Amino acid sequence: MVAHLHVPGRLKLSDRMSVSARLAIAFAMMICMLIVGAGMGLASLWGLNQKIEAQSRVRTPSLILAGRLEVSILRATRRMRNVLIVSDADKVKAELAAIRADQQVRARLAADLGRLVTSAAARELLQSINKAAQAYGTSESAFLRFGEDGNLE
C-alpha cells in the first residue's frame, strides 16, 4: 500500500479558499443550473407553442370542415329519402332544390378543405375522398335528373 504523503508546502485548493469563497462558488453553480433549467423549460414551451399553433391553424379547421362535409352528405341523403317518401309535388321540388344547394355547399367545403391540407399523406387521403365524392355526386346527379323528370317510381 502506498502511504499518503503530506507535502507541507502544497495545500489543496479547497484548503486555501475561505468559507465565503466556497459558498459563493456553490451559489454561482446553483444559479448556472437554474439558468440552464429555465432555458430548457423555455425551449420546451416554445416547441409546445409551435405544435398548438399548427393544431389551431390547420388541423382543427380541417376537422371542422370535414365534419361539415359529412353533415352535408347526410343531409342530402335524408332529403333524397324524403323525395322518395313524400307524395306532394311541391315538397318534392323543394327537397330537390335543397339537394342541389347541398351539392354547391359540398363543392365549396371540399375546395376549402383542399386549401388547408398540407402534408402529402393528407393529400392522398383527400384525393381518395374526392374520388368517392365524385362517384357519389354522379349517382346523386342521376337521382336529381330522375326526380326532376318525375321518374322516381
Side-chain angles (χ1 to χ4, degrees):
M1 237 184 189
V2 177
H4 179 65
L5 299 175
H6 179 66
V7 181
R10 296 182 74 176
L11 295 174
K12 293 182 195 176
L13 180 62
S14 61
D15 291 339
R16 285 187 271 161
M17 291 180 13
S18 66
V19 173
S20 61
R22 287 185 219 160
L23 286 174
I25 290 173
F27 284 126
M29 288 175 58
M30 293 287 287
I31 289 172
C32 287
M33 289 190 310
L34 181 66
I35 290 171
V36 168
M40 290 172 55
L42 286 174
S44 177
L45 284 174
W46 180 80
L48 182 62
N49 186 37
Q50 295 300 318
K51 288 178 184 178
I52 289 172
E53 281 187 26
Q55 177 78 24
S56 66
R57 191 175 352 102
V58 176
R59 292 182 185 148
T60 301
S62 296
L63 186 61
I64 290 170
L65 286 175
R68 288 180 182 166
L69 187 60
E70 179 187 14
V71 167
S72 179
I73 291 170
L74 292 173
R75 190 178 321 126
T77 56
R78 185 184 72 231
R79 288 185 171 138
M80 289 190 324
R81 181 205 63 198
N82 290 346
V83 166
L84 295 172
I85 293 173
V86 173
S87 59
D88 184 16
D90 292 334
K91 288 183 180 179
V92 169
K93 286 180 184 179
E95 292 290 344
L96 292 173
I99 293 170
R100 289 251 185 240
D102 279 342
Q103 281 181 327
Q104 294 171 357
V105 168
R106 282 195 312 272
R108 191 186 78 244
L109 288 173
D112 290 345
L113 190 58
R115 282 190 291 276
L116 285 176
V117 173
T118 57
S119 71
R123 287 216 177 272
E124 288 178 23
L125 290 172
L126 187 60
Q127 284 177 346
S128 66
I129 290 170
N130 285 337
K131 285 180 185 177
Q134 285 175 348
Y136 174 77
T138 303
S139 300
E140 187 179 50
S141 295
F143 178 84
L144 289 171
R145 279 193 307 276
F146 288 136
E148 289 167 351
D149 294 341
N151 296 333
L152 293 175
E153 286 124 19

